[in-house]
Amino acid sequence: MDIDLLQKKALVVRRDIIKMIGEAGSGHPGGSLSAADILVALYYSELKVDPKNPKWDERDRFVLSKGHCVPALYAVLAEKGFFDKELLFTLRKLGSPLQGHPDMVKVPGVEMSTGSLGQGFSVSVGMALSLKVDQKPNRVYALLGDGENQEGIVWEAAMAAGDYKLDNLTAILDNNGLQIDGRCSEVMCVGPLKDKWASFGFCVLMIDGHNMAAILEAFETAKTIKGKPTMIIAKTIKGKGVSFMENQVGWHGKAPNKEQVALALEELV
């Protein structure tokens, strides 16, 4: 799929994120919007997946480690055909499989239930190691958030990934610089990010996480790296695409009301 079509898909995904969180009355719009371009690039140009056969043995694995941003993943999975798009608007409702964090048992296409920060990345390292041991060609991708990057469990997993030389693992950091309590640099600075990930044995790529061509190029580069995992640090904007949400900490975990949904959808065209 070419760049223009990928950008149009990302726009559809952003509109669905706003609509479903608005309908639910709760959720995490800021980080979902910042991750939209990365997820669209993954599912439409990178991952080997089959929506009609979600457990296909030859599929690549994707783990949304920052599980609270699952509206973005639900929107992409629905757009891709893993389940009926109407299901999106049952988000967080009683009895719906689409809850505030992904459920691998109830939602087709979800590889791992996540929520506790760092847990998903640790599991993705285990997945990559298992595939290596079994000499399988499948690749593993994991998306982490900034606040999550402060968790000790992330660095234990990074240490293992580097030690086992997991070159079938690509991690992506949605680096919007904000977390629930404020700027990451003020809450708990973990910089310099590039140096730290490199010191744990990763090949580190720095990109603009809203530049679709740069995202695709980084994924292609990661596949050529041998003997070490890759971390793609993708600089993004929290709330990307909606002017009153961009770079605003307050939109980390707050739903827009009806008027704000309408304003956001007017901008996402």
Side-chain angles (χ1 to χ4, degrees):
M1 186 175 287
D2 65 29
I3 300 293
D4 185 53
L5 288 174
L6 288 173
Q7 290 170 334
K8 288 177 179 174
K9 283 289 182 188
L11 187 59
V12 171
V13 166
R14 286 194 165 93
R15 290 179 62 85
D16 284 341
I17 289 168
I18 292 296
K19 286 189 281 187
M20 81 173 87
I21 295 178
E23 177 70 22
S26 66
H28 294 80
S32 297
L33 291 169
S34 71
D37 296 303
I38 296 165
L39 288 175
V40 166
L42 272 170
Y43 276 89
Y44 282 91
S45 279
E46 185 63 16
L47 297 177
K48 287 190 302 178
V49 292
D50 181 358
K52 303 303 179 190
N53 186 10
K55 296 298 183 185
W56 176 41
D57 191 51
E58 299 303 314
R59 73 192 185 283
D60 292 327
R61 274 64 163 176
F62 171 71
V63 177
L64 181 68
S65 196
K66 49 176 239 167
H68 57 286
C69 294
V70 73
L73 179 59
Y74 290 155
V76 172
L77 290 176
E79 186 68 18
K80 190 76 178 171
F82 279 88
F83 52 80
D84 192 322
K85 203 165 182 177
E86 285 303 308
L87 200 58
L88 293 178
F89 307 105
T90 68
L91 175 69
R92 289 180 173 237
K93 288 186 167 50
L94 188 64
S96 171
L98 306 188
Q99 291 302 315
H101 293 86
D103 186 330
M104 62 185 289
V105 175
K106 295 179 180 176
V107 184
V110 171
E111 291 287 350
M112 183 65 202
S113 302
T114 55
S116 297
L117 297 180
Q119 173 194 0
F121 180 56
S122 298
V123 171
S124 68
V125 171
M127 286 179 176
L129 179 57
S130 173
L131 291 167
K132 273 279 185 188
V133 170
D134 292 341
Q135 299 184 328
K136 298 275 192 178
N138 320 51
R139 295 186 61 80
V140 179
Y141 298 79
L143 181 64
L144 296 88
D146 278 318
E148 182 172 35
N149 205 35
Q150 299 162 343
E151 301 286 340
I153 189 174
V154 166
W155 297 103
E156 288 186 67
M159 183 166 52
D163 188 60
Y164 288 115
K165 305 182 189 321
L166 299 180
D167 53 15
N168 58 342
L169 172 67
T170 299
I172 309 111
L173 178 64
D174 182 6
N175 183 212
N176 59 47
L178 301 176
Q179 59 187 109
I180 191 168
D181 292 321
R183 296 196 173 278
C184 300
S185 58
E186 297 170 355
V187 176
M188 177 65 75
C189 182
V190 295
L193 287 172
K194 183 176 183 180
D195 293 344
K196 284 188 176 171
W197 281 97
S199 74
F200 278 73
F202 279 64
C203 168
V204 184
L205 306 173
M206 309 284 286
I207 65 167
D208 176 347
H210 300 307
N211 182 324
M212 201 60 80
I215 298 170
L216 297 181
E217 184 178 352
F219 287 147
E220 285 303 310
T221 300
K223 287 185 287 192
T224 69
I225 303 300
K226 301 301 179 189
K228 58 172 62 177
T230 296
M231 163 56 82
I232 299 171
I233 298 176
K235 187 62 183 172
T236 58
I237 297 171
K238 198 163 189 130
K240 173 67 175 176
V242 179
S243 61
F244 59 88
M245 290 186 177
E246 287 191 354
N247 283 320
Q248 299 299 313
V249 173
W251 287 104
H252 178 92
K254 183 178 75 173
N257 59 32
K258 287 184 179 179
E259 291 74 22
Q260 290 165 331
V261 167
L263 285 172
L265 294 180
E266 283 180 11
E267 295 185 7
L268 293 169
V269 293

